[in-house]
Each structure stands twice: as C-alpha cells, then as structure tokens.
Amino acid sequence: MVSETETSAIGNALVVLGAAGIVIPAFARFRISPVIGFILVGLLVGPSGLGALATDYPWLKHVTIASTEDIALFGEFGIILLLFSIGLELSFRRLWQLRKLVFGIGAAELFIAGAILGTALLFLGNLSTPAAYGLGIALALSSTALVLPIAGTKSAVGRASFSMLLFEDLALVPIIFVLAALSPTASGDSTELMLTTLWQGGLVVAALAIGGWFLLPKIFAQAARGKAPELFVAASLPAVIVAALATAAVGLSPIVGALLAGLMIAETEYHGEVEAITAPFKGLALGVFLISVGMGLNLKTIASQWPALVVAVVGVVLVKAVVTAALLRFSGAARRGTAAEVGLLMASPSETTLIVLTTALQAQLISRATAEFWQLVTAIGLTITPLLARIGHDIARRIEMRSGDTQADETPEGRTVIVGFGRVGHTVAELLREHDRPY
C-alpha cells in the first residue's frame, strides 16, 4: 500500500514535469524566456498561490505543492545536473586559460561588492559588523544556475561571467565556515574544521580527477560498443552522483563535484555524444530550480513591504552592476559593451545567497525576520535576472554601435568560424583541434 508521503512525492514530481511540458513550448512559441514562466508556475502552484486554498478545496492538492521543503530536493538535484551540463562544455585547458579572470577579477568582484554592500548595511541597518559584512558577501554572489544558461561559456560575456561565478562557487565553503566561526556560540574548533575540510576536499577532487582520467574513457568506450544512447546516460549519471556525493561528504558543495564530473567527461572523445544525449535534462533541471524559486515568493509579504523591497533590490543591483562593469573595463578584460552587459547580468543575488543566509541565521548573526526579508529580495532578484540580461544586451549593442566596435573584432584573422555547435560542429572542432588549427 502506498503511503501518504510517497503519494505526495509522486504528485510533486508530476506537477514539476507537467509544468515543464507546458511552460517550455508555450513560452518558446511567443519567444519569451521560459525562466519567467517557471517562476510564475512556482508562484501559482506554491504555498502562497493555489496551495493556500488546498485546505478548502482538497482537489487542489493534486496540482499544487504544499511547501517549499517538498521540492527542495528536486531543486538541489536540478542545480547538480545543470552544473554537470555546463562542465561538459568546458575543459581543463579552458579553465587554465581563464585563471587570471577567475582569481583576479572574480575575487575582486566578490570582495569589493561585498564590502560596499556590507558597509551600507552596517550604517543603514541595525546589524553587527560580522552580520553586515556576512550579509554583504551573501548578496554579492551571483546565480550560476541562471547566468550561464543565458550567457553560455564560449562568448566574451559567457567567459567573463563564468570566471567570476567559478570563483564564487569555490569561495562558498570558506564563506560558510567563516560565518560559523563568527557565531556568538562558536567553539574554537571552527577554524580547524575549515582547514580540515579544505585539505580533505583537495584530496577528494584530486582523486576524482585522476580516477576519471583513467576510468571514464574505458567506461564510455564500452558504452560506445553497445551502440545504444541509453548506455551513455547510464555511464554519465553514476559519475555525476559519485562526484557530487564525494565532495559533499567532505563538506564541499555537491555542485563542485557535478562540475568536476562534467569536466572529466569533456576530456574524453565521447563528450559530444554525452552532451547531445543529456541536453534535455539541462532545461528540465533549470525549470525545477526556478519553480522552487517561484514558490519562495510570498505575495502578501511583498505587498506589505514593497517600498523596502524595491529599495533593497535596486541597491543590490546597482552596486553589483557598477563594480562588475568597472572591474572588467578598467582591467582591460572586456570592451565597454561587454562589461556593461556582464555587469547587469551578474547584478542579481544567487541561489547560493539563500544558503549563506541560512548559515548566518543558524549562527545567530542575523534574526529570522532579517533572513526572511533578504531571502525575498534574493527571490525577486532571481526573477528579474532575464529582464536585466535583456537590458544589458540592448545597452551593449548601443554602446558598440556608438563606438564603432563590432563582435567581429574579437575574431583574429586566420581562424575558422564554426556557425552552429551541435554534434557536427563538435566534430569539425575536434578535427581542427587535432590539426592545430585555431577556431
């Protein structure tokens, strides 16, 4: 006999899959980003939407999700799959080429924006110094789950965005441990625990990289001999799960393991087949995460606190956009148009902001009311990210047209231009790479 808990889990999964089946084709038909559609669906079927009426109308239980906790696991799994698919588009060689952007501009953007936001909160809010700057760092984080699907990783905007996001993901664990160490009730073991986690995490990452280097090519070669697409999925998913569980077991974020799994598979000759087969999971994973974001929006709270929420969202967006664009421009890492576009694209808070806020609350650095307010600011910021991306793209085009810059200036002479990067594009790129021809 099926228990009530199992029935609820199955019902939630059906709601999520049904929403994906409706939102993606419907919004694609009108050329609107499905991001907005998923967030609206989350708001509609969530506890502050139709879910609030489920008690009076029992039949609504079958088409709504009662609480955000019910879908939290789906959202986390969605982010893991999304980061895996992003890793497939990269390689260790590309990461090495981006090292200056990652540890230079990426670090500067996080700490400068965090310091400015923290100082503002210290003077404007009733917060202690650790709480203000911890909250500032949390709000300085940007959304990997939204920015990379919008910008990609191969364009100038995508490369700059990915570099900063990668540093933020790497810095997440130290940020969490520092906040825990600043807690009024913290013991003296917090620093030692952080150092232990970092060296154990380094060993785990190294072990996964070495194991993947030797094992994955043999596993995928066996899958290729079977000539069945499902064998590639069967080989890929365990690699993602093992890597995510291994990094989580030592205290690192599971998304680091998922990204590493994608990078290891990207180094094999079968990465094109894996990327093509797992492509449908990418949109579904993003949709699951966005539905959980929409469920976190409470219309009653927004209506009662809208002036403060508007000021908070605008303030965070302005500070982050200006800091990011200025760093990219004055460091010479990007043209004016690209810097402006990346600045606006990265201006919203992140899904990891919610993790840091929860840590600060558990460490008793901020009150529950403060945490809930900034969680709402984060959800609103995530909701407007596609709009900011559109505005940034339009501003970048105007700047380039006015200054006479063109995207063609980025392509040096003597390079092959591949138009389209599907399976055939990947094959052409592999042939060019084997013959040392730039593209």
Side-chain angles (χ1 to χ4, degrees):
M1 187 173 179
V2 180
S3 66
E4 185 177 348
T5 303
E6 291 172 335
T7 303
S8 176
I10 294 172
N12 292 340
L14 291 176
V15 170
V16 171
L17 293 174
I22 295 172
V23 168
I24 293 177
F27 277 70
R29 173 69 179 81
F30 297 100
R31 296 183 180 179
I32 302 174
S33 172
V35 169
I36 299 173
F38 281 119
I39 292 176
L40 291 177
V41 167
L43 179 61
L44 180 65
V45 304
S48 63
L50 293 177
L53 304 175
T55 304
D56 298 327
Y57 303 95
W59 62 270
L60 285 175
K61 293 181 180 179
H62 302 291
V63 293
T64 59
I65 300 174
S67 68
T68 52
E69 288 77 13
D70 291 341
I71 199 176
L73 185 60
F74 289 101
E76 292 174 8
F77 190 62
I79 295 175
I80 288 173
L81 286 179
L82 185 64
L83 265 293
F84 166 68
S85 64
I86 290 168
L88 285 174
E89 300 176 3
L90 300 170
S91 64
F92 287 106
R93 184 176 64 179
R94 284 196 65 201
L95 288 180
W96 180 252
Q97 293 172 347
L98 294 172
R99 64 189 183 280
K100 293 182 180 178
L101 280 173
V102 173
F103 295 102
I105 295 177
E109 183 272 334
L110 177 62
F111 293 121
I112 292 175
I116 293 173
L117 291 170
T119 303
L121 290 169
L122 185 62
F123 286 101
L124 298 177
N126 187 21
L127 296 170
S128 64
T129 300
Y133 285 102
L135 190 53
I137 288 291
L139 295 171
L141 298 169
S142 300
S143 175
T144 302
L146 285 183
V147 171
L148 291 186
I150 292 174
T153 59
K154 295 181 173 66
S155 65
V157 173
R159 286 193 298 271
S161 301
F162 173 75
S163 301
M164 289 182 280
L165 290 168
L166 180 59
F167 180 82
E168 291 176 4
D169 289 337
L170 294 174
L172 181 60
V173 172
I175 289 171
I176 290 173
F177 276 105
V178 168
L179 290 177
L182 294 174
S183 171
T185 59
S187 64
D189 299 332
S190 298
T191 303
E192 183 181 350
L193 184 60
M194 179 178 71
L195 294 175
T196 301
T197 299
L198 290 178
W199 75 259
Q200 287 181 348
L203 286 179
V204 167
V205 169
L208 288 172
I210 294 171
W213 182 274
F214 288 103
L215 294 178
L216 286 178
K218 298 178 180 178
I219 293 173
F220 284 109
Q222 286 293 115
R225 291 191 188 97
K227 298 181 180 180
E230 56 269 19
L231 292 177
F232 283 100
V233 177
S236 301
L237 290 181
V240 181
I241 294 170
V242 168
L245 289 177
T247 52
V250 294
L252 294 177
S253 172
I255 65 177
V256 175
L259 182 64
L260 181 62
L263 284 168
M264 291 188 297
I265 295 176
E267 295 294 325
T268 70
E269 60 181 305
Y270 304 100
H271 67 273
E273 288 81 357
V274 175
E275 188 174 350
I277 293 168
T278 58
F281 294 108
K282 185 176 181 179
L284 182 60
L286 180 61
V288 171
F289 165 70
L290 293 172
I291 289 174
S292 66
V293 170
M295 291 176 62
L297 295 173
N298 191 316
L299 294 179
K300 292 182 180 179
T301 306
I302 293 174
S304 63
Q305 300 185 19
W306 71 266
L309 289 170
V310 169
V311 171
V313 172
V314 171
V316 171
V317 168
L318 281 177
V319 169
K320 292 181 65 178
V322 170
V323 169
T324 303
L327 284 171
L328 287 171
R329 181 57 186 159
F330 294 125
S331 67
R335 296 173 300 136
R336 282 184 294 175
T338 302
E341 185 173 355
V342 174
L344 280 169
L345 183 62
M346 299 276 290
S348 295
S350 168
E351 63 278 358
T352 51
T353 300
L354 302 175
I355 299 174
V356 179
L357 287 173
T358 302
T359 303
L361 177 61
Q362 293 173 346
Q364 300 179 16
L365 293 174
I366 58 176
S367 65
R368 182 166 296 278
T370 301
E372 290 177 351
F373 176 83
W374 290 106
Q375 285 169 353
L376 201 53
V377 169
T378 301
I380 295 172
L382 289 169
T383 305
I384 65 172
T385 297
L387 177 61
L388 293 174
R390 183 74 240 178
I391 294 172
H393 183 67
D394 292 342
I395 291 175
R397 288 182 59 188
R398 292 178 184 177
I399 291 174
E400 289 166 2
M401 290 174 64
R402 191 178 305 166
S403 63
D405 290 340
T406 61
Q407 290 289 344
D409 294 337
E410 289 187 351
T411 306
E413 292 184 8
R415 285 181 178 265
T416 301
V417 178
I418 303 174
V419 181
F421 211 63
R423 299 183 70 176
V424 175
H426 275 293
T427 303
V428 173
E430 291 291 341
L431 291 172
L432 292 170
R433 190 179 303 163
E434 288 179 6
H435 292 85
D436 295 323
R437 296 294 301 272
Y439 64 92

